[in-house]
Amino acid sequence: MEIGDEEEQECRQTLLRDEHTGEFKRCSREMRLEEFGDKFVVRSIDPDVPDAAFSIDRSDGLLQRLEGNSTDFGAPLNTSIIYGVVGTIRLLVGAYVLVITSREAAGSHLGVPIYLIKSMKFLLCNGSLKHSASQLKRDEAYFITLLRTVESTPGLYYSYDGDLTLNVQRTCRSAKRQGIPLWKQADPRFVWNRILLEELIECKLDVFSIPIIQGSFHSIEVTMKDLPIKITLISRRCTWRLGTRMWRRGANLEGDTANFVETEQVLEFGGFTSSFMMVRGSVPLIWEQIVDLSYKPRLNIISHPETTRVVECHFNDLAQRYGEIIAVDLTDKDGDEGQLSKAFEVEMEKLPNVRYVSFDFHHFCANGNFDNLELLYEQISQAIEKQGFFLLSSDSETPVEQKGAVRVNCIDCLDRTNVTQSYIGRKSLNMQLQKMGVLSSDECISTYDDLYEKFRILWATNGDEISLEYSGTHALKGDLVRYGRQTVFGLLKDGMSALSRYYLNNFQDGLRQDALDLISGRYSVNRNGPSPFQLNGFESLSYLPVASVFIVGGLSLTTSTFNQAGRRMHHFASTVLWAGLAAGVLAIVKANGRQFCSRPRLCRLF
C-alpha cells in the first residue's frame, strides 16, 4: 500500500517537533552516502532534519559526528541515496556499517508512515585487514560471510516518526515520552538492531538511530455498512532468544523463549481505536531438537535443576507485562511431543495464577477440520471476554484496557499457532465491532464476504512472514487460514515447504544462527581470544558430498552389476562389494548424522 503525499505531510507536521521544547524528535528519512578514499560520510538530506552528518574512517571504523554542513573533504569518489543507518558492528579488524539501500511503503499506523526494508548492505571499514595475520584474515572472512547473511534478513519494518515496538495500549500509557528520541521510547525486547545502534547512540546521533522490528506489518481497509474500517495486524519478534527453528528451542535460564512474538490486531473506525493482543513462544522448558539428517529429529528434554524457576520467571514476566495469562498448548499427546506436553503440564500445575489449556490440534483438527477450534474457544471464551481489549474513543480521555493475554504454542509456534491465533483474532474482532456498534450482537464478520476474505489473507500473510523468519519457509496449513479448508494446491505447497525446511534446517541454519548470534550481541567478538572457527573431527570439513557420492555411486554400481550377476560369478562378487560399500557409508552417515549437518560455531544452545 502506498502512502499518499497529503497523508504523509499531515503526519509529519503533527509529529515533527516536541510541543514543549521545539526540538526534533524524529529520524532523518533520507540520506546521502558520500564515499571518499579514507572515509564514508552520511548526510541527512531531509529538509526537516538539516545539517546532521557523521563520518566513518574506512581504515578502523572510527565514527565522528560532523557539526553543521561540513564540506572539508573535497569531492567524493561516489555518492548514493540511502534511507537509514541500521547500525554498526566491530569485528576483529575494523568496523562495518549497515545501511538501508531500498525501502517500500508498508502503510501507516496511528497516523505515521511505516516502511519495509527491501535491501541493505554493509559498508566495509577494515582497511587495516591487509596487514593482519593469516588466521585473523580467515576469521574475519567468515565473520564477513555472516554479515552477508544478515543483509538478506526478511521482515524488517520501521518508521521515522513513530515507535513500532510499543503496542497501542503501551503507547497511550507512554504519551508523556513523546518528546524523546525514538530509540529511547522503544521496548528493547523488540528492537532487532538494538546492539547495532549502540555506537550511534554513544555518538549522540539520535536522528540516525532508527529502532527496527522484525515481524510482520499489514493492514486492510474495507467498507462495511457504508462505513470505512481499517484493520492492522502487527507482529513483533523478541530478540532475547533470537534464532532459527532447530537451533533455538525452548527457554534459556532467564526464562526467555525461542520464537516469542507479540501479535497485535488494531481496529480503527470513526473515532474509535481498538487493539487486541496475543503472544506466542516456544514451550518454556529447557529442551533441544538437534538436526541429524533425519526428517524429524528426536526431541530431548534436558533435566535441569532450574527448570521450575525458568518456567516461573517466564510467566511472571508475562503477567507483569500483559496481566492474566491463558496458556494454550497445541502440541500432540503422543510421541516426543507428548512427552514435552506432559512435562509442560507438570510445571504449569505449580503455577496456580496461570490457566493452562491443553488442546491436541492434530487430533481435534484432523483432515483440516478447522471448525473444531470452536471446542478450544469454548473452554477459554469467558476468560478472553473478561480480559477484554483496548478501546479508546475520540471523545474520551480514559481508555478501556486489555487485562490479560492468550499465550499460544505448538512445537515451532508457527503453523498450528497461527491457525489458532487467527481464529481467536476473528472472535475478538467480532466483539470489537459489536462494542463499537458496527455489528449487532448476533452478527459476525464471516457474513461480510469482502471483509472476511481480506481478514483471512491478513492472518495468512502474518503466518508466512513469521515462519520465513524462523524456519526459512512460508507457513504450513496456510489454506486453513485463507479458505478455512485444505486444498490440493495447498497440500503440494506444504509438501514443498516441508522439504525446504528439511534442507535449510540441516544444511544452512548453522550459518544463519551464527549470524543472528553475532548481530544480536549473544556472541561477543574477542580480538585477543582463540579463533572460534578452528574445529576438529567431522566438523572441520563437510563430508556429506563425499559420502553422497559413495552412496549413490555404490547403489548405481550395485544395480548395474546385479543385472549381470547371473551370467558371470565375478559380477556377483562386485555386486556384493558395492552393496556392502554403499551400506557401510550409509551406516556411517546415519550414525554420525549430526556431524554432517550445518552447525552453529559461535554459541552454545543455552
Side-chain angles (χ1 to χ4, degrees), residues 377-415:
Y377 190 76
E378 287 174 355
Q379 298 181 58
I380 60 177
S381 59
Q382 290 185 350
I384 290 178
E385 290 172 8
K386 181 182 176 182
Q387 289 178 353
F389 45 82
F390 176 85
L391 179 63
L392 177 65
S393 63
S394 58
D395 57 357
S396 174
E397 295 183 0
T398 306
V400 177
E401 294 195 342
Q402 184 173 339
K403 299 179 178 63
V406 180
R407 182 198 190 276
V408 184
N409 74 265
C410 50
I411 284 294
D412 300 326
C413 302
L414 294 177
D415 314 316

Coordinates of all heavy atoms in Angstrom, one line a residue, residues 377-415:
Y377 N -12.1 -22.8 21.8 CA -12.6 -21.5 22.2 C -13.7 -21.5 23.3 O -13.7 -20.7 24.1 CB -13.1 -20.8 20.9 CG -13.4 -19.3 21.2 CD1 -12.4 -18.4 21.3 CD2 -14.7 -18.8 21.4 CE1 -12.6 -17.1 21.5 CE2 -15.0 -17.5 21.6 CZ -13.9 -16.6 21.7 OH -14.1 -15.3 22.0
E378 N -14.5 -22.6 23.2 CA -15.5 -22.7 24.3 C -14.9 -22.8 25.7 O -15.5 -22.4 26.7 CB -16.4 -24.0 24.0 CG -17.3 -23.8 22.8 CD -18.1 -25.1 22.5 OE1 -17.7 -26.1 23.1 OE2 -18.9 -25.0 21.6
Q379 N -13.7 -23.4 25.7 CA -13.0 -23.5 27.0 C -12.4 -22.2 27.6 O -12.3 -22.0 28.8 CB -11.9 -24.5 26.9 CG -12.3 -25.9 26.6 CD -11.1 -26.9 26.5 OE1 -10.4 -27.0 27.5 NE2 -10.9 -27.5 25.4
I380 N -12.1 -21.3 26.7 CA -11.4 -20.1 27.1 C -12.2 -18.8 26.8 O -11.7 -17.7 27.1 CB -10.0 -20.0 26.4 CG1 -10.2 -19.9 24.9 CG2 -9.1 -21.1 26.8 CD1 -8.9 -19.8 24.1
S381 N -13.4 -18.9 26.2 CA -14.1 -17.7 25.7 C -14.4 -16.8 26.9 O -14.3 -15.6 26.7 CB -15.4 -18.1 25.0 OG -16.2 -18.9 25.9
Q382 N -14.9 -17.3 28.0 CA -15.2 -16.4 29.1 C -14.0 -15.7 29.7 O -14.1 -14.5 30.0 CB -15.9 -17.3 30.3 CG -17.3 -17.8 29.9 CD -17.9 -18.5 31.1 OE1 -17.3 -18.8 32.1 NE2 -19.2 -18.8 31.0
A383 N -12.9 -16.4 29.7 CA -11.7 -15.7 30.2 C -11.2 -14.6 29.2 O -10.8 -13.5 29.6 CB -10.6 -16.7 30.4
I384 N -11.4 -14.9 27.9 CA -11.0 -13.9 26.9 C -11.9 -12.7 27.0 O -11.5 -11.5 26.9 CB -11.0 -14.5 25.5 CG1 -9.9 -15.5 25.3 CG2 -10.9 -13.4 24.4 CD1 -9.8 -16.2 24.0
E385 N -13.2 -12.9 27.2 CA -14.1 -11.8 27.3 C -13.8 -11.0 28.5 O -14.0 -9.8 28.6 CB -15.6 -12.3 27.3 CG -16.0 -12.9 26.0 CD -17.4 -13.6 26.1 OE1 -18.0 -13.5 27.2 OE2 -17.8 -14.3 25.1
K386 N -13.4 -11.7 29.6 CA -13.0 -11.0 30.8 C -11.8 -10.1 30.6 O -11.7 -9.0 31.1 CB -12.8 -12.0 32.0 CG -12.4 -11.3 33.3 CD -12.2 -12.4 34.3 CE -11.7 -11.8 35.7 NZ -11.4 -12.8 36.7
Q387 N -10.8 -10.6 29.9 CA -9.6 -9.9 29.6 C -9.9 -8.7 28.7 O -9.3 -7.6 28.9 CB -8.6 -10.8 28.9 CG -7.9 -11.8 29.8 CD -7.0 -12.7 29.0 OE1 -6.9 -12.6 27.8 NE2 -6.3 -13.6 29.7
G388 N -10.9 -8.8 27.8 CA -11.3 -7.7 27.0 C -10.3 -7.3 26.0 O -9.4 -8.1 25.5
F389 N -10.3 -6.0 25.6 CA -9.4 -5.5 24.6 C -9.3 -4.0 24.8 O -10.1 -3.4 25.6 CB -9.9 -5.7 23.1 CG -11.4 -5.4 23.0 CD1 -11.9 -4.1 22.8 CD2 -12.4 -6.5 23.0 CE1 -13.2 -3.9 22.6 CE2 -13.7 -6.2 22.9 CZ -14.1 -4.9 22.7
F390 N -8.3 -3.4 24.3 CA -8.0 -2.0 24.4 C -9.0 -1.2 23.6 O -9.2 -1.6 22.4 CB -6.6 -1.6 24.0 CG -6.3 -0.1 24.1 CD1 -6.0 0.5 25.3 CD2 -6.5 0.6 22.9 CE1 -5.7 1.9 25.3 CE2 -6.2 2.0 23.0 CZ -5.8 2.6 24.1
L391 N -9.6 -0.1 24.1 CA -10.6 0.7 23.3 C -10.5 2.1 23.8 O -10.6 2.4 25.0 CB -12.0 0.2 23.6 CG -13.1 0.9 22.8 CD1 -13.0 0.8 21.3 CD2 -14.5 0.4 23.3
L392 N -10.3 3.0 22.8 CA -10.2 4.4 23.1 C -11.1 5.1 22.0 O -11.0 4.9 20.8 CB -8.7 4.9 22.9 CG -8.5 6.4 23.1 CD1 -8.9 6.8 24.5 CD2 -7.1 6.8 22.8
S393 N -11.9 6.0 22.5 CA -12.8 6.8 21.6 C -12.3 8.2 21.6 O -11.6 8.7 22.6 CB -14.2 6.8 22.1 OG -14.4 7.3 23.4
S394 N -12.5 9.0 20.6 CA -12.0 10.3 20.4 C -12.6 11.3 21.5 O -12.0 12.3 21.8 CB -12.3 10.8 19.0 OG -13.7 10.8 18.8
D395 N -13.7 11.0 22.0 CA -14.4 11.9 23.0 C -14.1 11.4 24.4 O -14.8 11.8 25.4 CB -15.9 12.0 22.7 CG -16.6 10.6 22.7 OD1 -15.9 9.6 22.9 OD2 -17.8 10.6 22.6
S396 N -13.2 10.5 24.6 CA -12.9 10.0 26.0 C -11.4 10.0 26.2 O -10.6 9.6 25.4 CB -13.4 8.6 26.1 OG -13.0 8.0 27.4
E397 N -11.0 10.6 27.4 CA -9.6 10.6 27.7 C -9.1 9.3 28.4 O -7.9 9.1 28.6 CB -9.3 11.8 28.6 CG -9.5 13.2 27.9 CD -9.2 14.3 28.8 OE1 -8.8 14.1 30.0 OE2 -9.3 15.5 28.4
T398 N -10.1 8.5 28.9 CA -9.7 7.3 29.6 C -10.1 6.1 28.8 O -11.2 5.8 28.6 CB -10.5 7.3 31.0 OG1 -10.2 8.5 31.7 CG2 -10.1 6.1 31.8
P399 N -9.0 5.4 28.3 CA -9.3 4.2 27.5 C -9.7 3.0 28.4 O -9.4 2.9 29.6 CB -8.0 3.9 26.8 CG -6.9 4.4 27.8 CD -7.6 5.6 28.5
V400 N -10.4 2.0 27.8 CA -10.6 0.7 28.4 C -9.4 -0.2 28.0 O -9.1 -0.3 26.8 CB -11.9 0.1 27.9 CG1 -12.1 -1.3 28.5 CG2 -13.1 1.0 28.2
E401 N -8.8 -0.8 29.0 CA -7.5 -1.5 28.7 C -7.8 -3.1 28.7 O -8.7 -3.6 29.3 CB -6.5 -1.2 29.7 CG -6.0 0.2 29.7 CD -4.7 0.4 30.4 OE1 -4.4 -0.4 31.3 OE2 -4.0 1.4 30.2
Q402 N -6.9 -3.7 27.9 CA -6.9 -5.2 27.9 C -6.2 -5.7 29.1 O -5.1 -5.2 29.5 CB -6.2 -5.7 26.6 CG -6.3 -7.2 26.5 CD -5.7 -7.7 25.2 OE1 -5.6 -7.0 24.2 NE2 -5.3 -9.0 25.1
K403 N -6.8 -6.6 29.8 CA -6.3 -7.0 31.2 C -5.7 -8.4 31.2 O -5.7 -9.1 32.2 CB -7.4 -6.9 32.2 CG -8.0 -5.5 32.3 CD -9.2 -5.5 33.3 CE -9.7 -4.1 33.5 NZ -10.3 -3.6 32.3
G404 N -5.2 -8.8 30.1 CA -4.5 -10.1 30.0 C -4.2 -10.5 28.6 O -4.4 -9.7 27.7
A405 N -3.7 -11.7 28.4 CA -3.4 -12.1 27.0 C -3.4 -13.7 26.9 O -3.1 -14.4 27.9 CB -2.0 -11.6 26.6
V406 N -3.7 -14.1 25.7 CA -3.6 -15.6 25.5 C -2.2 -15.9 24.9 O -1.7 -15.2 24.0 CB -4.7 -16.0 24.4 CG1 -4.6 -17.5 24.2 CG2 -6.1 -15.6 24.9
R407 N -1.5 -16.9 25.5 CA -0.2 -17.3 25.0 C -0.4 -18.7 24.4 O -0.9 -19.6 25.0 CB 0.7 -17.5 26.2 CG 2.1 -17.9 25.8 CD 2.9 -18.5 26.9 NE 4.3 -18.6 26.6 CZ 4.8 -19.7 26.0 NH1 4.0 -20.7 25.6 NH2 6.1 -19.8 25.7
V408 N -0.1 -18.7 23.1 CA -0.3 -20.0 22.3 C 1.0 -20.6 21.9 O 1.9 -19.8 21.5 CB -1.2 -19.7 21.0 CG1 -1.5 -21.0 20.3 CG2 -2.4 -18.9 21.4
N409 N 1.1 -21.9 22.0 CA 2.3 -22.5 21.5 C 2.0 -23.9 20.9 O 1.0 -24.5 21.2 CB 3.4 -22.7 22.6 CG 3.0 -23.9 23.6 OD1 2.4 -23.6 24.6 ND2 3.3 -25.1 23.2
C410 N 2.8 -24.3 19.9 CA 2.9 -25.7 19.4 C 4.3 -26.0 19.6 O 5.0 -25.5 20.5 CB 2.3 -25.8 18.0 SG 2.9 -24.7 16.8
I411 N 4.9 -26.8 18.7 CA 6.3 -27.1 18.8 C 7.1 -26.0 18.2 O 8.1 -25.5 18.8 CB 6.6 -28.5 18.0 CG1 6.2 -29.6 18.9 CG2 8.1 -28.6 17.8 CD1 7.0 -29.8 20.2
D412 N 6.8 -25.5 17.0 CA 7.5 -24.5 16.3 C 6.9 -23.1 16.6 O 7.6 -22.1 16.3 CB 7.6 -24.7 14.8 CG 8.2 -26.0 14.4 OD1 9.2 -26.4 15.1 OD2 7.8 -26.6 13.4
C413 N 5.7 -23.1 17.1 CA 4.9 -21.8 17.3 C 4.8 -21.1 15.9 O 4.9 -19.9 15.8 CB 5.6 -20.9 18.3 SG 5.8 -21.6 19.9
L414 N 4.5 -21.9 14.9 CA 4.3 -21.4 13.5 C 2.9 -21.7 13.0 O 2.0 -21.0 13.1 CB 5.4 -21.9 12.6 CG 6.8 -21.4 12.9 CD1 7.8 -22.1 12.0 CD2 7.0 -19.9 12.9
D415 N 2.8 -22.9 12.4 CA 1.7 -23.3 11.6 C 0.4 -23.5 12.5 O -0.6 -22.8 12.2 CB 2.0 -24.6 10.9 CG 3.4 -24.5 10.2 OD1 3.7 -23.5 9.7 OD2 4.1 -25.5 10.3

